[in-house]
């Protein structure tokens, strides 16, 4: 399950708030098939709670409150998000009913982080700046084909000396947009010719030397690019 586990507080908070803002339906399940469908009402990492809407008198809710194991599942488009809920209690106030639970510290995203890649939008072309590993005097400015939290694919033009698989590049600068430049390292894992017309090759790279700030910036870029792509697709329907 390590490929699916998310423990970064920034990512956990981001996904919970996306579920909240999307008014995504959430299914709360317990042992024996007990389940209750609801929505997130509030997400508060400072107080350490998540809050779900509820209705009084629902027998399914009462059955759920009697169990000690509750799992929450929601969807953001094709992404399934799952997390355990602890300390689930029913609260009343101002004529409303809600379910409070402890703020989850771990989420499971069932779309592999390493393979969940986004392609840059046509209006934005991220570029990777580095020196050729075999020719240190040669500076390379390679277009980003796609990117994830763990890897990036770069376009190597046909008139640039080939880069061999297995090569490690200690310093690379990723310009994701006009305001975001990240310093990372790369390991070249795969080199493949895209097609004869492209006149170039695809470098499949693993990101290394990624610190917390860089990871947060990458996560924000991946999320924002995904949101904008979906918005563009919806506007064209």
């Amino acid at each position: 399950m390590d490929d699916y586990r998310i423990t970064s507080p920034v990512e956990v908070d981001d996904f919970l708030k996306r579920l909240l803002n999307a008014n995504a339906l959430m299914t709360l399940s317990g042992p024996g098939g007990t389940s209750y469908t609801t929505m997130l009402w509030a997400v508060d990492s400072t107080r350490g709670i998540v809050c779900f809407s509820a209705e009084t008198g629902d027998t399914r809710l009462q059955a759920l409150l009697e169990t000690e194991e509750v799992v929450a599942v929601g969807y953001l488009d094709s992404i399934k998000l799952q997390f355990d809920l602890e300390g689930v209690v029913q609260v009343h106030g101002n004529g409303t009913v809600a379910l409070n639970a402890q703020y989850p510290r771990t989420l499971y995203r069932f779309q592999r982080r390493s393979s969940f890649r986004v392609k840059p939008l046509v209006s934005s072309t991220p570029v990777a700046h580095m020196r050729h590993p075999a020719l240190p005097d040669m500076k390379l400015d390679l277009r980003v084909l796609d990117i994830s939290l763990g890897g990036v694919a770069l376009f190597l033009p046909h008139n640039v000396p080939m880069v061999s698989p297995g090569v490690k590049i200690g310093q690379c600068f990723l310009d994701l947009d006009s305001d975001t430049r990240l310093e990372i390292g790369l390991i070249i894992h795969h080199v493949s010719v895209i097609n004869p017309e492209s006149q170039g090759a695809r470098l499949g790279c693993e990101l290394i030397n990624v610190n917390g700030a860089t990871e947060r910036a990458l996560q924000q870029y991946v999320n924002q690019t995904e949101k904008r792509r979906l918005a563009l697709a919806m506007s064209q329907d």
Side-chain angles (χ1 to χ4, degrees):
M1 297 289 285
D2 287 344
D3 286 334
Y4 306 98
R5 183 181 287 113
I6 296 174
T7 56
S8 165
V10 173
E11 290 186 70
V12 171
D13 193 59
D14 177 70
F15 277 118
L16 289 176
K17 288 179 178 177
R18 289 175 65 185
L19 287 168
L20 173 68
N21 295 332
N23 293 320
L25 290 177
M26 303 291 299
T27 300
L28 310 185
S29 303
T34 303
S35 66
Y36 184 74
T37 302
T38 178
M39 291 190 298
L40 273 169
W41 198 346
V43 173
D44 192 333
S45 59
T46 302
R47 295 173 56 200
I49 63 169
V50 289
C51 181
F52 298 86
S53 58
E55 297 180 3
T56 57
D58 193 312
T59 56
R60 297 171 301 170
L61 178 57
Q62 295 305 317
L64 194 68
L65 289 170
E66 293 173 2
T67 182
E68 295 182 357
E69 298 178 10
V70 180
V71 176
V73 174
Y75 289 86
L76 288 172
D77 302 306
S78 62
I79 304 170
K80 176 184 177 182
L81 297 171
Q82 177 178 313
F83 50 95
D84 294 336
L85 291 179
E86 298 182 3
V88 181
V89 295
Q90 188 173 4
V91 294
H92 301 261
N94 298 324
T96 61
V97 181
L99 292 178
N100 280 4
Q102 295 178 22
Y103 191 92
R105 300 303 175 189
T106 300
L107 294 184
Y108 292 92
R109 171 182 177 156
F110 291 100
Q111 188 173 35
R112 287 180 182 269
R113 290 164 54 98
S114 59
S115 62
F116 180 67
R117 295 175 175 267
V118 294
K119 294 182 179 180
L121 300 175
V122 176
S123 59
S124 173
T125 307
V127 177
H129 306 280
M130 68 190 81
R131 293 187 178 274
H132 196 291
L135 303 166
D137 292 335
M138 178 180 288
K139 294 182 180 180
L140 300 179
D141 302 313
L142 305 183
R143 177 164 55 92
V144 173
L145 298 175
D146 59 55
I147 190 168
S148 71
L149 295 187
V152 63
L154 304 175
F155 179 74
L156 185 73
H158 70 97
N159 57 353
V160 174
M162 187 57 68
V163 177
S164 302
V167 168
K168 179 179 178 180
I169 297 174
Q171 186 180 58
C172 173
F173 294 97
L174 273 180
D175 285 340
L176 296 180
D177 52 43
S178 59
D179 299 319
T180 309
R181 164 170 275 210
L182 307 178
E183 182 177 355
I184 56 167
L186 299 174
I187 297 178
I188 313 297
H189 283 301
H190 307 285
V191 179
S192 56
V193 176
I194 301 174
N195 56 61
E197 291 77 20
S198 68
Q199 297 186 338
R202 182 183 188 276
L203 305 181
C205 312
E206 175 188 353
L207 303 183
I208 59 174
N209 303 330
V210 178
N211 58 32
T214 299
E215 183 181 8
R216 287 191 292 272
L218 280 170
Q219 180 67 59
Q220 183 177 13
Y221 176 80
V222 168
N223 290 343
Q224 291 301 319
T225 301
E226 180 188 7
K227 288 179 182 178
R228 290 168 184 165
R229 186 174 298 282
L230 289 171
L232 286 172
M234 292 177 63
S235 66
Q236 295 171 359
D237 290 341

